[in-house]
Each structure stands twice: as structure tokens, then as C-alpha cells.
Tab-separated table of all heavy atoms in Angstrom:
chain	number	residue	atom	x	y	z
A	173	GLY	N	106.386	97.352	107.847
A	173	GLY	CA	107.389	97.334	108.918
A	173	GLY	C	106.760	97.622	110.299
A	173	GLY	O	107.116	96.991	111.293
A	174	ALA	N	105.765	98.530	110.307
A	174	ALA	CA	105.102	98.855	111.570
A	174	ALA	C	104.272	97.674	112.078
A	174	ALA	O	104.190	97.430	113.293
A	174	ALA	CB	104.182	100.078	111.374
A	175	VAL	N	103.660	96.934	111.178
A	175	VAL	CA	102.877	95.773	111.524
A	175	VAL	C	103.710	94.664	112.136
A	175	VAL	O	103.347	93.987	113.093
A	175	VAL	CB	102.084	95.234	110.310
A	175	VAL	CG1	101.474	93.890	110.565
A	175	VAL	CG2	100.979	96.264	109.934
A	176	THR	N	104.904	94.486	111.579
A	176	THR	CA	105.809	93.430	112.052
A	176	THR	C	106.719	93.867	113.211
A	176	THR	O	107.371	92.968	113.806
A	176	THR	CB	106.675	92.882	110.928
A	176	THR	OG1	107.475	93.929	110.404
A	176	THR	CG2	105.822	92.300	109.784
A	177	ASN	N	106.716	95.111	113.548
A	177	ASN	CA	107.617	95.623	114.621
A	177	ASN	C	106.785	95.758	115.905
A	177	ASN	O	105.893	96.610	116.011
A	177	ASN	CB	108.182	96.966	114.237
A	177	ASN	CG	109.162	97.495	115.222
A	177	ASN	OD1	109.183	97.087	116.375
A	177	ASN	ND2	110.013	98.432	114.798
A	178	PRO	N	107.077	94.968	116.941
A	178	PRO	CA	106.308	95.056	118.159
A	178	PRO	C	106.457	96.398	118.884
A	178	PRO	O	105.659	96.730	119.770
A	178	PRO	CB	106.843	93.894	119.024
A	178	PRO	CG	108.184	93.602	118.462
A	178	PRO	CD	108.117	93.971	117.028
A	179	ASN	N	107.440	97.187	118.509
A	179	ASN	CA	107.639	98.502	119.128
A	179	ASN	C	106.775	99.584	118.483
A	179	ASN	O	106.794	100.732	118.931
A	179	ASN	CB	109.105	98.928	119.081
A	179	ASN	CG	109.958	97.970	119.892
A	179	ASN	OD1	109.603	97.531	120.972
A	179	ASN	ND2	111.127	97.607	119.329
A	180	GLN	N	106.035	99.237	117.404
A	180	GLN	CA	105.155	100.184	116.771
A	180	GLN	C	103.735	99.744	116.931
A	180	GLN	O	103.440	98.588	117.147
A	180	GLN	CB	105.521	100.362	115.297
A	180	GLN	CG	106.907	101.049	115.117
A	180	GLN	CD	107.255	101.196	113.664
A	180	GLN	OE1	107.366	100.251	112.891
A	180	GLN	NE2	107.454	102.443	113.268
A	181	GLN	N	102.779	100.702	116.786
A	181	GLN	CA	101.403	100.446	117.058
A	181	GLN	C	100.677	99.608	115.985
A	181	GLN	O	99.644	99.058	116.216
A	181	GLN	CB	100.618	101.770	117.240
A	181	GLN	CG	100.984	102.435	118.536
A	181	GLN	CD	100.138	103.643	118.795
A	181	GLN	OE1	99.148	103.902	118.137
A	181	GLN	NE2	100.527	104.435	119.770
A	182	GLY	N	101.208	99.556	114.771
A	182	GLY	CA	100.569	98.875	113.674
A	182	GLY	C	100.336	97.397	113.975
A	182	GLY	O	101.193	96.746	114.603
A	183	SER	N	99.203	96.895	113.542
A	183	SER	CA	98.911	95.476	113.705
A	183	SER	C	98.008	95.032	112.550
A	183	SER	O	97.385	95.844	111.872
A	183	SER	CB	98.184	95.226	115.040
A	183	SER	OG	96.908	95.771	114.976
A	184	LEU	N	97.959	93.701	112.356
A	184	LEU	CA	97.047	93.153	111.322
A	184	LEU	C	95.612	93.508	111.679
A	184	LEU	O	94.806	93.801	110.783
A	184	LEU	CB	97.253	91.661	111.195
A	184	LEU	CG	98.590	91.187	110.658
A	184	LEU	CD1	98.664	89.686	110.646
A	184	LEU	CD2	98.800	91.719	109.251
A	185	GLY	N	95.265	93.497	112.914
A	185	GLY	CA	93.947	93.826	113.369
A	185	GLY	C	93.559	95.273	113.013
A	185	GLY	O	92.470	95.557	112.547
A	186	GLN	N	94.524	96.181	113.224
A	186	GLN	CA	94.277	97.578	112.934
A	186	GLN	C	94.064	97.743	111.388
A	186	GLN	O	93.124	98.387	110.998
A	186	GLN	CB	95.430	98.438	113.365
A	186	GLN	CG	95.283	99.892	113.012
A	186	GLN	CD	96.588	100.670	113.253
A	186	GLN	OE1	97.684	100.162	113.294
A	186	GLN	NE2	96.441	101.984	113.402
A	187	LEU	N	94.901	97.141	110.592
A	187	LEU	CA	94.755	97.231	109.154
A	187	LEU	C	93.439	96.600	108.691
A	187	LEU	O	92.733	97.129	107.848
A	187	LEU	CB	95.934	96.625	108.420
A	187	LEU	CG	97.251	97.369	108.508
A	187	LEU	CD1	98.315	96.623	107.770
A	187	LEU	CD2	97.122	98.777	107.990
A	188	GLY	N	93.108	95.468	109.264
A	188	GLY	CA	91.872	94.780	108.882
A	188	GLY	C	90.628	95.646	109.274
A	188	GLY	O	89.683	95.743	108.478
A	189	SER	N	90.705	96.323	110.411
A	189	SER	CA	89.609	97.187	110.852
A	189	SER	C	89.467	98.402	109.857
A	189	SER	O	88.389	98.804	109.523
A	189	SER	CB	89.893	97.705	112.245
A	189	SER	OG	88.883	98.587	112.668
A	190	ILE	N	90.632	98.942	109.438
A	190	ILE	CA	90.616	100.057	108.491
A	190	ILE	C	89.999	99.619	107.168
A	190	ILE	O	89.118	100.275	106.612
A	190	ILE	CB	92.016	100.635	108.303
A	190	ILE	CG1	92.505	101.346	109.577
A	190	ILE	CG2	92.079	101.579	107.090
A	190	ILE	CD1	93.977	101.675	109.568
A	191	ILE	N	90.413	98.492	106.669
A	191	ILE	CA	89.951	97.988	105.404
A	191	ILE	C	88.441	97.676	105.463
A	191	ILE	O	87.690	98.001	104.572
A	191	ILE	CB	90.760	96.771	104.937
A	191	ILE	CG1	92.212	97.208	104.595
A	191	ILE	CG2	90.129	96.054	103.740
A	191	ILE	CD1	93.212	96.093	104.476
A	192	SER	N	87.994	97.074	106.586
A	192	SER	CA	86.580	96.793	106.773
A	192	SER	C	85.744	98.086	106.802
A	192	SER	O	84.678	98.170	106.278
A	192	SER	CB	86.337	96.011	108.083
A	192	SER	OG	86.904	94.726	107.985
A	193	THR	N	86.271	99.092	107.472
A	193	THR	CA	85.591	100.375	107.533
A	193	THR	C	85.432	100.981	106.161
A	193	THR	O	84.375	101.479	105.802
A	193	THR	CB	86.322	101.340	108.490
A	193	THR	OG1	86.387	100.759	109.796
A	193	THR	CG2	85.623	102.690	108.520
A	194	VAL	N	86.492	100.909	105.343
A	194	VAL	CA	86.425	101.463	104.018
A	194	VAL	C	85.445	100.635	103.151
A	194	VAL	O	84.641	101.234	102.386
A	194	VAL	CB	87.826	101.443	103.335
A	194	VAL	CG1	87.748	101.838	101.852
A	194	VAL	CG2	88.735	102.417	104.094
A	195	ASP	N	85.413	99.315	103.329
A	195	ASP	CA	84.404	98.496	102.632
A	195	ASP	C	83.015	98.882	103.011
A	195	ASP	O	82.111	99.005	102.140
A	195	ASP	CB	84.638	97.010	102.883
A	195	ASP	CG	85.895	96.467	102.204
A	195	ASP	OD1	86.437	97.124	101.274
A	195	ASP	OD2	86.339	95.346	102.586
A	196	ARG	N	82.748	99.091	104.293
A	196	ARG	CA	81.430	99.445	104.778
A	196	ARG	C	81.056	100.815	104.205
A	196	ARG	O	79.922	101.072	103.817
A	196	ARG	CB	81.337	99.490	106.300
A	196	ARG	CG	81.186	98.116	106.937
A	196	ARG	CD	80.805	98.181	108.390
A	196	ARG	NE	81.645	99.050	109.201
A	196	ARG	CZ	82.826	98.706	109.733
A	196	ARG	NH1	83.274	97.479	109.556
A	196	ARG	NH2	83.492	99.544	110.484
A	197	LEU	N	81.987	101.715	104.185
A	197	LEU	CA	81.757	103.067	103.651
A	197	LEU	C	81.392	102.969	102.176
A	197	LEU	O	80.463	103.655	101.701
A	197	LEU	CB	83.004	103.909	103.872
A	197	LEU	CG	82.882	105.410	103.563
A	197	LEU	CD1	81.759	106.036	104.355
A	197	LEU	CD2	84.229	106.088	103.936
A	198	SER	N	82.083	102.136	101.437
A	198	SER	CA	81.791	101.933	100.015
A	198	SER	C	80.408	101.384	99.872
A	198	SER	O	79.603	101.869	99.027
A	198	SER	CB	82.847	100.969	99.419
A	198	SER	OG	82.581	100.752	98.065
A	199	ASN	N	80.027	100.419	100.667
A	199	ASN	CA	78.689	99.816	100.565
A	199	ASN	C	77.560	100.835	100.972
A	199	ASN	O	76.534	100.916	100.324
A	199	ASN	CB	78.558	98.579	101.462
A	199	ASN	CG	79.383	97.417	100.958
A	199	ASN	OD1	79.682	97.339	99.768
A	199	ASN	ND2	79.801	96.537	101.846
A	200	SER	N	77.863	101.583	101.992
A	200	SER	CA	76.799	102.529	102.486
A	200	SER	C	76.572	103.706	101.528
A	200	SER	O	75.493	104.287	101.504
A	200	SER	CB	77.140	103.042	103.895
A	200	SER	OG	78.224	103.930	103.856
A	201	THR	N	77.620	104.089	100.783
A	201	THR	CA	77.483	105.181	99.820
A	201	THR	C	77.066	104.718	98.459
A	201	THR	O	76.677	105.546	97.637
A	201	THR	CB	78.784	105.956	99.695
A	201	THR	OG1	79.812	105.083	99.208
A	201	THR	CG2	79.188	106.582	101.011
A	202	GLY	N	77.157	103.407	98.245
A	202	GLY	CA	76.868	102.880	96.886
A	202	GLY	C	77.987	103.105	95.883
A	202	GLY	O	77.857	102.846	94.723
A	203	ALA	N	79.137	103.540	96.415
A	203	ALA	CA	80.311	103.780	95.545
A	203	ALA	C	81.066	102.490	95.381
A	203	ALA	O	81.229	101.728	96.314
A	203	ALA	CB	81.220	104.835	96.159
């Protein structure tokens, strides 16, 4: 709902950035 609502801060870019960060964290820790 936040991603699709222009009145809220959520965006596909924000979620993509979060997911990419978690992926990098997984790779850097070997987990």
C-alpha cells in the first residue's frame, strides 16, 4: 500500500535498495 500510495514514502526503488543491501550482506558474510 505504501509503495502504491504517492502520499507515502515507500517506493519500488526503496524496496529494491533494501533487498540489494540484504543480498550484499548475505554475500559479504558468506551466509
Side-chain angles (χ1 to χ4, degrees):
V175 167
T176 60
N177 184 340
N179 296 320
Q180 290 181 301
Q181 290 186 10
S183 69
L184 292 176
Q186 178 189 23
L187 289 178
S189 178
I190 290 168
I191 292 165
S192 293
T193 300
V194 172
D195 287 345
R196 280 193 309 277
L197 189 55
S198 181
N199 291 336
S200 72
T201 61

